[in-house]
Amino acid sequence: MDGYLGVIVIVVVVALLAAGGLFLLFRPGGKSAPPVEPPETAPLPEEEKERPKTGTEEGEGGATTTLPPPVKPAEPMVVAPEVEVPPPSAGRMVRLRSRLARSQSALGRGLLDLLSRDRLDDEVWDEVEELLIKADVGVAPTQAIVEELRTKVKVLGSRTPEEVRALLREQLLIQVNPDLDRTLHVKPHGERAAVVLVVGVNGTGKTTTTGKLARVLVGDGKKVVLGAADTFRAAAADQLQTWGERVGADTVRGPEGGDPASVAFDAVTKGIEDKADVVIVDTAGRLHTKTGLMDELGKVKRVIEKKATVDEVLLVLDATTGQNGMRQAQVFGEVVNITGIALTKLDGTAKGGIVISVQRELGVPVKLVGLGEGADDLAPFDPEVFVDAIIGE
Ligand SMILES: Nc1nc2c(ncn2[C@@H]2O[C@H](COP(=O)(O)OP(=O)(O)O)[C@@H](O)[C@H]2O)c(=O)[nH]1
Ligand SMILES: [Mg+2]
């Protein structure tokens, strides 16, 4: 009887072992098939695509199975991320001129057509006015342009197309004001990094502009540290960090929902410790009340000023939002002393006249323009290139 039981036990054990082995070999997701590259599923954002893949992402558990050797030799485990060298600031707007021409040339063509008519009566001048207003030039600058053009045209009498073009160019340029100081204040103070604070309404392009600006500055040979003071969502800090990693700029971040001012403080501290030239601090824009905004931004600025000076406060403004965006932006002007405007998405609107009206209404020069979603589609604003893109060459 005992021997009989022993045999049964042995048979059961052997059967269990065999089943286990088969399971190991053929379990779903097991390594019974030759390893395959992870599939390219949804298209990755540009930044993600460039991130080098490490060996650890292939999965786990491969070592315990008895499998044919992988067809491909293993990739090296660690690949240093390649740091990009972005183009310098000089010449960027010229490179992006075609983007501007594409979005703005309808305005220029319309104006040149009207001004080339044989008879320039009140009706024609009304149309000129209408075109300028529609392009967000603003009422007062429009009136100034029309008045000057009327006088000059009268003096000229008959006009050649070249003369019309030159007159228009001159008047637009006067309104854009080439004499404004558009230098970005990013010179370090001795050993202490310069600080740029980036503010503006949610969705205008603050984080993107912060990342692009880091590239501009790195392209000019500067060492940059980024501060992710938009602590509202972890994704915002990730987004900024990805921008930074591409050009070798460190990003200081805090816990999700943490205090933005303390992140700003830590970023500036790191900037000074690391002997960076510039610290750029990205902020949140989703503040629903003016007092909330006052409190938060005011605090960020005050806390930075315990360590350094805020050299530049860039207001990011979405050109496609026109007058609406401008009113929202004005609130920021009441909270912090804006020193420059970064006008984004100028590639996506025919209303380039906003350059003129925003400078007038906020009393601050446009220093940077965003002309696309590409990493290097941010340029220092150049009034002449801008006006030439409007009226064509
Ligand atoms: N076409 C275009 N899109 C832009 C430009 N600047 C930013 N964007 C886009 O605007 C969206 C919001 O940008 P983001 O930086 O996240 O805005 P934030 O909420 O102010 O930080 C993103 O899809 C950007 O790619 C620009 O100059 N041109
Ligand atoms: Mg953001």
Side-chain angles (χ1 to χ4, degrees), residues 32-93:
S32 55
V36 270
E37 287 286 328
E40 283 268 331
T41 45
L44 291 166
E46 217 54 43
E47 298 81 18
E48 283 291 298
K49 278 186 206 155
E50 283 157 32
R51 190 168 59 98
K53 293 194 171 61
T54 58
T56 51
E57 288 173 17
E58 296 275 311
E60 53 198 339
T64 53
T65 48
T66 49
L67 292 170
V71 185
K72 269 172 57 180
E75 300 258 313
M77 291 295 283
V78 183
V79 183
E82 212 168 291
V83 173
E84 296 171 31
V85 184
S89 56
R92 275 186 177 231
M93 193 151 166

Side-chain angles (χ1 to χ4, degrees), residues 113-131:
D113 276 357
L114 289 169
L115 295 171
S116 305
R117 298 224 179 131
D118 288 338
R119 251 178 60 82
L120 293 179
D121 51 24
D122 284 351
E123 242 165 71
V124 176
W125 286 114
D126 283 350
E127 280 184 62
V128 171
E129 201 171 293
E130 202 180 314
L131 267 184

Side-chain angles (χ1 to χ4, degrees), residues 86-101:
S89 56
R92 275 186 177 231
M93 193 151 166
V94 172
R95 181 175 63 76
L96 296 167
R97 186 168 37 196
S98 60
R99 301 265 171 88
L100 264 177

Side-chain angles (χ1 to χ4, degrees), residues 201-208 210 230 233 235-237 239-240 282-286:
V201 174
N202 188 29
T204 50
K206 284 182 303 299
T207 305
T208 310
T210 305
D230 178 355
R233 305 169 297 141
Q239 188 190 353
L240 190 64
D282 181 28
T283 61
R286 347 169 158 64

Side-chain angles (χ1 to χ4, degrees), residues 3-276:
Y4 200 56
L5 200 65
V7 169
I8 290 173
V9 168
I10 289 165
V11 166
V12 168
V13 166
V14 167
L16 280 174
L17 282 175
L22 280 174
F23 176 74
L24 266 182
L25 275 173
F26 295 108
R27 76 196 142 117
K31 296 281 180 168
S32 55
V36 270
E37 287 286 328
E40 283 268 331
T41 45
L44 291 166
E46 217 54 43
E47 298 81 18
E48 283 291 298
K49 278 186 206 155
E50 283 157 32
R51 190 168 59 98
K53 293 194 171 61
T54 58
T56 51
E57 288 173 17
E58 296 275 311
E60 53 198 339
T64 53
T65 48
T66 49
L67 292 170
V71 185
K72 269 172 57 180
E75 300 258 313
M77 291 295 283
V78 183
V79 183
E82 212 168 291
V83 173
E84 296 171 31
V85 184
S89 56
R92 275 186 177 231
M93 193 151 166
V94 172
R95 181 175 63 76
L96 296 167
R97 186 168 37 196
S98 60
R99 301 265 171 88
L100 264 177
R102 214 180 306 141
S103 55
Q104 309 303 326
S105 62
L107 169 65
R109 265 200 314 276
L111 290 171
L112 289 171
D113 276 357
L114 289 169
L115 295 171
S116 305
R117 298 224 179 131
D118 288 338
R119 251 178 60 82
L120 293 179
D121 51 24
D122 284 351
E123 242 165 71
V124 176
W125 286 114
D126 283 350
E127 280 184 62
V128 171
E129 201 171 293
E130 202 180 314
L131 267 184
L132 290 167
I133 295 280
K134 267 196 191 150
D136 269 349
V137 170
V139 177
T142 293
Q143 280 165 356
I145 292 172
V146 170
E147 210 160 291
E148 279 297 306
L149 284 175
R150 281 187 96 138
T151 316
K152 300 239 154 118
V153 160
K154 220 174 265 166
V155 172
L156 266 182
S158 64
R159 291 144 277 133
T160 66
E162 289 71 37
E163 283 167 331
V164 170
R165 188 181 293 269
L167 275 184
L168 184 59
R169 184 179 193 278
E170 180 191 38
Q171 289 312 312
L172 288 174
L173 208 48
I174 287 172
Q175 293 303 323
V176 176
N177 198 349
D179 299 331
L180 291 177
D181 178 16
R182 296 175 200 274
T183 36
L184 272 180
H185 299 126
V186 289
K187 269 216 187 86
H189 310 268
E191 292 271 278
R192 211 180 64 204
V195 179
V196 178
L197 192 60
V198 179
V199 305
V201 174
N202 188 29
T204 50
K206 284 182 303 299
T207 305
T208 310
T209 301
T210 305
K212 287 177 179 173
L213 178 58
R215 296 179 67 90
V216 171
L217 296 173
V218 169
D220 284 344
K222 291 184 183 289
K223 183 177 163 84
V224 176
V225 167
L226 298 173
D230 178 355
T231 56
F232 220 77
R233 305 169 297 141
D238 291 342
Q239 188 190 353
L240 190 64
Q241 190 167 354
T242 305
W243 277 100
E245 277 167 2
R246 289 177 65 177
V247 290
D250 286 333
T251 301
V252 174
R253 49 191 295 177
E256 190 171 349
D259 179 20
S262 85
V263 175
F265 183 83
D266 291 348
V268 170
T269 307
K270 183 172 172 57
I272 295 169
E273 277 170 12
D274 291 2
K275 298 199 167 36

